[in-house]
């Protein structure tokens, strides 16, 4: 099973996170399938590769709570619903 979760980068006291698609059995710093975003909680900056996130969500990937909240702010799930209605119509 694939999850969308945060991978810690940066240095001490200056954490920066990559949002990655990763196998559930991998550890936090383990090898990821694909990098799909970036989150800096200190500067409050976010970059998301929305097509890649939608691809993994469409294939059944589950976002963690924090990744879900970040994606919700950027309204990724609205785009997911719009794509579903386009394909179902």
């Amino acid at each position: 099973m694939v999850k969308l979760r945060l991978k810690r980068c940066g240095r001490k006291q200056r954490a920066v996170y990559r949002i990655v698609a990763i196998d559930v059995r991998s550890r936090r710093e383990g090898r990821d399938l694909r990098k799909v975003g970036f989150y800096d909680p200190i500067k409050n900056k976010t970059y998301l590769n929305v097509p890649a996130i939608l691809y993994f969500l469409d294939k059944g990937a589950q976002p963690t709570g924090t990744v879900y909240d970040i994606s919700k702010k950027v309204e990724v799930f609205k785009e997911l619903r719009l794509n579903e209605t386009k394909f179902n119509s």
Side-chain angles (χ1 to χ4, degrees):
M1 181 180 183
V2 177
K3 278 208 172 212
L4 297 174
R5 67 183 184 199
L6 298 175
K7 186 175 186 179
R8 192 174 196 273
C9 302
R11 55 187 177 166
K12 278 197 281 186
Q13 305 297 319
R14 298 285 298 171
V16 177
Y17 298 93
R18 286 190 182 131
I19 301 170
V20 296
I22 194 166
D23 188 35
V24 177
R25 296 167 291 192
S26 298
R27 56 199 173 105
R28 183 183 72 184
E29 311 307 340
R31 186 163 178 251
D32 50 73
L33 300 173
R34 185 166 178 193
K35 295 172 185 76
V36 295
F38 175 83
Y39 174 61
D40 185 354
I42 296 168
K43 296 180 182 175
N44 203 15
K45 290 188 178 182
T46 306
Y47 166 76
L48 297 176
N49 184 350
V50 177
I53 291 174
L54 293 175
Y55 170 79
F56 281 107
L57 289 173
D58 203 34
K59 297 294 181 185
Q62 296 294 316
T64 59
T66 309
V67 173
Y68 179 83
D69 293 340
I70 293 168
S71 302
K72 194 174 174 184
K73 285 181 187 175
V74 184
E75 300 179 345
V76 170
F77 298 107
K78 281 187 181 179
E79 293 184 33
L80 181 65
R81 287 191 203 103
L82 289 174
N83 286 345
E84 286 177 357
T85 56
K86 283 181 187 175
F87 292 125
N88 291 337
S89 297

